[in-house]
């Protein structure tokens, strides 16, 4: 067992500190949805709604498979930040060793189960045969990078947990900007279509994983310097797997919500599916901006929990909330004013453009309705309140399905209204749970 080490000094919590963590991660995160925009635009400008819908469906499927394992990032953030708050250098090193072992195991398991997994997922999605066939090509190629994606999760989580957000920014730029450049080359330059977009993604992930592992080893002086008895300590492993299990269930419920949203769009036809895909890419841009402020809450809140400093914890939540709410309001206004031009840039199909603009007002409300869900997710991740995260997300998913059922007669309008309700209740349920969790943590 790692020797108990006295708590470190309380973390610095100020507007400057919040922004020093959030801003690099905003730039790091925003390259991910921008990648989706580039991929969508590269395929969309071919003028084939089936191809655009296939990339959208394939991307959602990959998100389901990949983000179900986002605990490799989230759990690592909280455990690393708390080890830093305790000034526990041995555990800081052991956390990344455990995370990388779990990442490789999960990646190999997904590859081994590829055939039955894809069969079940495509069966559940219910898209047209043409879209399904094209999406299968896309997903099959991208799956080659699954182990690399999971390694990148573990590395990024470890870096964020130490507030090394500039290093995280560089790694994300390597992966996503490289991915965008390769996508343009393979799709627009070489005419490889959907397979080209998927190949670009896979290559970029493996390049990023290689760079990330070099960064980790350099940070540790090219050796872990932690006995395997510590890395594989039973109590620590049980804690890690328990946190990861609950975050995985929470993430699976969130992804089920997004998959349900996509499936209902697919039921409405290829044009509706493509229009919803464009708007959800815009939602992704906002989400990753908001995740920058959530990252501040993750790192500073987790460090405060490790140091058992309630005052710093409260201040981290409050200051992060101010910045997140401000950005959410500005982002909503920006999409109300400029969303139509963005839609025209992404797609050349007049039918898809018209359909996307019809539902743009719903999308423009998402930054405001979802802001507290993103922020509180960061707070709970840093504090490793995984059980509460799981329960709140399951309750939110049930609320979303009930809202859709009541509004299903409105078609795609009802679907978007239900999605807005989902975002709002996620923040509400987490906010209601937080006071009791704080009392239990800092008593």
């Amino acid at each position: 067992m790692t020797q108990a080490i006295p708590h470190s000094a309380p973390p610095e919590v100020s507007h400057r500190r919040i922004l020093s963590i959030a801003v690099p991660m905003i730039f790091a995160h925003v390259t991910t949805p921008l990648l989706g925009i580039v991929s969508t635009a590269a395929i969309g400008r071919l003028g084939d709604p089936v191809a655009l819908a296939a990339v959208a469906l394939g991307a959602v499927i990959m998100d389901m498979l990949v983000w179900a394992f986002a605990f490799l990032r989230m759990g690592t953030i909280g455990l690393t930040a708390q080890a830093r708050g305790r000034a526990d250098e041995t555990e800081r090193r052991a956390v990344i060793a455990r995370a990388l072992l779990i990442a490789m195991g999960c990646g190999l398991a997904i590859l081994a189960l590829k055939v039955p997994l894809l069969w079940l997922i495509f069966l559940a999605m219910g898209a047209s045969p043409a879209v399904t066939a094209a999406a299968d090509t896309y997903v099959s190629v991208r799956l080659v990078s699954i182990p690399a994606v999971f390694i990148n999760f573990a590395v990024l989580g470890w870096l964020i947990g130490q507030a090394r957000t500039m290093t995280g920014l560089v790694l994300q730029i390597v992966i996503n900007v490289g991915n965008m450049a390769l996508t343009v080359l393979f799709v627009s330059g070489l005419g490889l279509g959907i397979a080209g977009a998927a190949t670009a993604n896979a290559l970029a992930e493996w390049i990023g994983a290689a760079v990330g592992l070099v960064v980790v080893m350099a940070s540790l002086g090219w050796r872990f310097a932690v006995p395997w008895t510590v890395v594989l300590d039973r109590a620590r492993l049980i804690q890690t797997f328990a946190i990861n299990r609950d975050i995985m269930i929470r993430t699976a419920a969130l992804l089920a919500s997004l998959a349900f949203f996509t499936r209902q769009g697919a039921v409405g036809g290829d044009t509706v599916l493509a229009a919803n895909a464009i708007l959800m890419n815009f939602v992704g841009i906002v989400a990753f901006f908001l995740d920058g402020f959530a990252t501040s809450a993750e790192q500073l809140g987790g460090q405060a929990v490790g140091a058992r400093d309630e005052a710093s914890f409260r201040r981290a939540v409050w200051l992060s909330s101010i910045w997140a709410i401000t950005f959410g309001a500005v982002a909503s206004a920006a999409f109300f004013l400029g969303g139509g031009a963005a839609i025209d840039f992404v797609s050349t199909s007049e039918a898809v453009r018209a359909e996307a603009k019809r539902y743009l007002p719903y999308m423009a409300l998402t930054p405001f309705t979802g802001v507290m869900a993103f922020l509180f997710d960061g707070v709970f991740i840093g504090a490793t309140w995984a059980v509460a995260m799981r329960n709140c997300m399951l309750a939110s998913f049930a609320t979303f399905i009930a809202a859709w059922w009541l509004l299903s007669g409105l078609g795609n309008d009802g679907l978007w209204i239900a999605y807005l309700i989902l975002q709002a209740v996620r923040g509400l349920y987490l906010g209601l749970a937080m006071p009791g969790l704080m009392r239990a943590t800092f008593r």
Side-chain angles (χ1 to χ4, degrees), residues 4-76:
I5 296 178
H7 301 152
S8 68
E12 175 196 348
V13 183
S14 63
H15 287 293
R16 184 193 65 80
R17 185 63 175 146
I18 293 290
L19 293 178
S20 73
I21 297 172
V23 171
M25 291 315 300
I26 286 171
F27 284 106
H29 289 323
V30 79
T31 58
T32 298
L34 284 177
L35 168 61
I37 294 287
V38 170
S39 297
T40 301
I43 297 297
R45 296 188 74 83
L46 299 177
D48 182 1
V50 170
L52 180 58
V55 169
L57 182 61
V60 168
I61 290 172
M62 283 303 300
D63 284 346
M64 288 172 58
L65 292 174
V66 167
W67 287 102
F69 293 84
F71 62 79
L72 291 165
R73 180 180 72 87
M74 297 178 186
T76 304

Side-chain angles (χ1 to χ4, degrees), residues 2 4 30 33 35 79 108 115 126 136 147 175 179 275 292 297 326 340 356 368 375 441:
T2 303
V30 79
L35 168 61
L79 293 171
L108 294 175
V115 173
D136 181 65
I175 296 170
N179 197 340
T326 299
F368 190 74
L375 184 74
T441 299

Side-chain angles (χ1 to χ4, degrees), residues 193-274:
I194 291 173
T199 301
N201 185 282
L203 284 174
E205 290 288 356
W206 276 111
I207 292 170
V211 174
L213 290 174
V214 169
V215 169
V216 168
M217 294 310 299
S219 300
L220 298 176
W222 300 101
R223 61 194 183 95
F224 280 107
V226 178
W228 282 105
T229 53
V230 174
V231 174
L232 301 177
D233 177 79
R234 184 172 182 272
R236 294 292 191 186
L237 284 174
I238 290 174
Q239 178 194 33
T240 300
F241 279 111
I243 291 170
N244 288 345
R245 175 202 64 210
D246 292 326
I247 294 177
M248 185 177 186
I249 293 171
R250 167 262 179 197
T251 305
L254 177 58
L255 291 174
S257 302
L258 298 177
F260 182 84
F261 182 94
T262 301
R263 187 188 188 283
Q264 292 309 120
V267 170
D270 292 345
T271 300
V272 171
L273 176 60

Side-chain angles (χ1 to χ4, degrees), residues 9 47 94 106 136 155 161 193 243 250 252 265 273 283 294 303 342-343 366 383 385 399 421 426 437:
C106 291
D136 181 65
V155 171
I243 291 170
R250 167 262 179 197
L273 176 60
V283 172
Q303 190 178 344
I343 291 169
T366 61
W385 293 334
T399 304
I421 292 172
R426 281 179 60 204
L437 292 166

Side-chain angles (χ1 to χ4, degrees), residues 315-332:
R315 183 165 173 79
V317 174
W318 173 244
L319 295 186
S320 297
S321 299
I322 291 173
W323 283 103
I325 292 170
T326 299
F327 174 79
V330 171
S332 283

